[in-house]
């Protein structure tokens, strides 16, 4: 078993991260497997070296150990570009220069019906899909043409009387839409990087929060398109604050470092998130 914890160095790790990291670590160790770390720093406008240093420090303090070298996404842009070229050459990507506002407005047009949301927010209404495609990929945002992409992995469900597809291409189109695979001037996206990196690190079990479960169909689709293995997915419960709201990066009050400063022990943290002490 190979598991991983893949934080973004854009803020302090909080109790939710501690839960995710400990779970992935303990599952690997219990199975005699390997626990890996990956720094998801593709968004260089938000990633900070001091947050990365704090991640190592907090995880060591929690008693976790991982195999080195640690993978850092900012060092893997050529790998992401190669995969984008593969998809581009298959005619599955198109450039998009819509702003968030353009998308909101187009999706809210009367003929579009009620606003539909997917894993990345409002489902893209397709404004740039049928524009003539340039010869080269360029630095614009690139979207996956979901109808074409999902058609390449279509299957037939034969057990139902009307031979209806259970989660076929149409479901990808309706519930996910044309997601961004390369953000403008970034050369990649969360979805593309995570899929390529999980494959490169030979992750057998992806252990992550339930908030990412909606993205998993996108990841499995990309694995099929790029000829990569599909790991086993384990989406765990989210750690919530006293009001029942899930913790976010800005919840500095729940930062692991804050509990440390106040004298908590790693076992206190384990207990707080409902894991057995060691
Ligand atoms: N980097 C993501 C985050 O910090 C996690 C990605 C994943 O586990 O797939 O939320």
């Amino acid at each position: 078993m190979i598991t991983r914890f893949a934080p973004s160095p854009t803020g302090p790790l909080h109790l939710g991260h501690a839960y995710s990291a400990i779970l992935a670590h303990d599952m690997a160790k219990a199975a005699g497997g390997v626990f890996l770390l990956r720094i998801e720093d593709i968004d260089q406008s938000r990633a900070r070296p001091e947050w990365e240093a704090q991640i190592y420090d907090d995880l060591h303090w929690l008693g976790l150990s991982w195999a080195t070298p640690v993978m850092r996404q900012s060092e893997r842009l050529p790998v992401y570009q190669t995969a984008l070229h593969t998809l581009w050459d298959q005619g599955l990507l198109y450039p998009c220069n819509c702003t968030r506002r353009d998308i909101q407005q187009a999706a809210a047009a009367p003929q579009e019906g009620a606003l539909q949301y997917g894993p990345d927010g409002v489902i893209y209404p397709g404004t740039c899909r049928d524009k003539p495609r340039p010869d080269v990929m360029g630095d614009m945002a690139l979207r996956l043409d979901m109808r074409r992409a999902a058609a390449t992995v279509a299957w037939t469900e034969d057990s139902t009387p009307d031979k209806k597809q259970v989660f076929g291409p149409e479901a990808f189109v309706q519930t996910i839409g044309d997601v961004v695979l390369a953000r403008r001037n970034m050369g990649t996206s969360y979805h593309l990087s995570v899929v390529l990196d999980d494959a490169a690190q030979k992750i057998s079990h992806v252990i992550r929060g339930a908030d990412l479960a909606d993205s998993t169909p996108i990841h499995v689709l990309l694995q099929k398109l790029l000829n990569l293995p599909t790991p086993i997915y384990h989406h765990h419960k989210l750690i919530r604050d006293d009001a029942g709201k899930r913790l976010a990066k800005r919840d500095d009050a729940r930062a692991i470092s804050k509990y440390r400063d106040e004298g908590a022990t790693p076992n206190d943290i384990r207990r707080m998130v409902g894991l057995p002490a060691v």
Side-chain angles (χ1 to χ4, degrees):
M1 180 187 287
I2 305 180
T3 67
R4 47 67 162 188
F5 177 56
S8 302
T10 54
L13 296 187
H14 56 56
L15 287 184
H17 295 107
Y19 181 67
S20 206
I22 296 172
L23 208 59
H25 174 270
D26 288 3
M27 281 172 82
K29 294 288 144 122
V34 180
F35 171 67
L36 297 176
L37 189 59
R38 180 167 76 230
I39 300 296
E40 302 221 317
D41 58 350
I42 51 169
D43 190 346
Q44 287 287 309
S45 67
R46 293 174 60 222
R48 297 266 178 282
E50 43 294 12
W51 291 127
E52 187 174 329
Q54 175 91 52
I55 288 172
Y56 300 134
D57 198 38
D58 284 344
L59 296 178
H60 276 307
W61 177 79
L62 282 170
L64 309 189
S65 55
W66 51 89
T68 52
V70 169
M71 180 177 276
R72 298 169 82 236
Q73 291 189 323
S74 54
E75 292 164 2
R76 291 180 42 79
L77 293 177
V79 176
Y80 308 144
Q81 280 295 302
T82 303
L84 287 171
H85 277 288
T86 303
L87 298 172
W88 176 269
D89 291 346
Q90 293 174 52
L92 298 177
L93 301 181
Y94 62 86
C96 171
N97 54 12
C98 292
T99 62
R100 233 174 250 268
R101 210 183 134 86
D102 295 336
I103 296 171
Q104 192 77 30
Q105 279 175 353
Q111 73 275 14
E112 297 284 340
L115 272 190
Q116 300 289 325
Y117 290 86
D120 293 346
V122 175
I123 292 185
Y124 185 63
T127 319
C128 292
R129 190 188 301 128
D130 298 320
K131 290 184 182 165
R133 215 175 66 133
D135 293 334
V136 285
M137 244 169 43
D139 274 345
M140 275 210 280
L142 296 173
R143 288 185 180 275
L144 183 67
D145 184 328
M146 191 53 91
R147 191 170 299 278
R148 283 189 190 199
T152 65
V153 296
W155 70 93
T156 305
E157 171 52 59
D158 204 37
S159 67
T160 51
D162 52 358
K163 307 222 185 296
K164 170 167 118 252
Q165 282 173 345
V166 181
F167 198 91
E170 208 44 44
F172 276 93
V173 171
Q174 304 284 332
T175 64
I176 297 169
D178 295 358
V179 285
V180 170
L181 289 193
R183 287 163 62 187
R184 196 165 69 91
N185 295 328
M186 200 181 278
T188 188
S189 61
Y190 160 65
H191 299 306
L192 183 71
S193 296
V194 91
V195 159
L196 290 165
D197 296 348
D198 282 336
Q201 291 189 298
K202 299 192 167 42
I203 304 301
S204 65
H205 292 67
V206 170
I207 294 154
R208 61 183 178 191
D211 54 330
L212 292 171
D214 287 353
S215 293
T216 301
I218 304 172
H219 300 170
V220 175
L221 175 64
L222 289 175
Q223 285 149 7
K224 301 260 182 281
L225 294 174
L226 294 166
N227 247 324
L228 301 172
T230 293
I232 291 170
Y233 284 93
H234 175 111
H235 294 102
H236 60 69
K237 70 166 184 181
L238 299 176
I239 303 297
R240 298 178 183 278
D241 63 16
D242 300 335
K245 223 175 103 277
R246 107 177 136 85
L247 302 182
K249 274 271 154 62
R250 60 190 169 280
D251 285 310
D252 291 6
R254 312 273 156 169
I256 298 170
S257 54
K258 181 150 178 291
Y259 289 105
R260 279 172 73 174
D261 292 346
E262 289 169 3
T265 66
N267 269 335
D268 291 335
I269 303 284
R270 282 181 177 260
R271 272 186 292 257
M272 276 184 237
V273 296
L275 288 168
V278 289

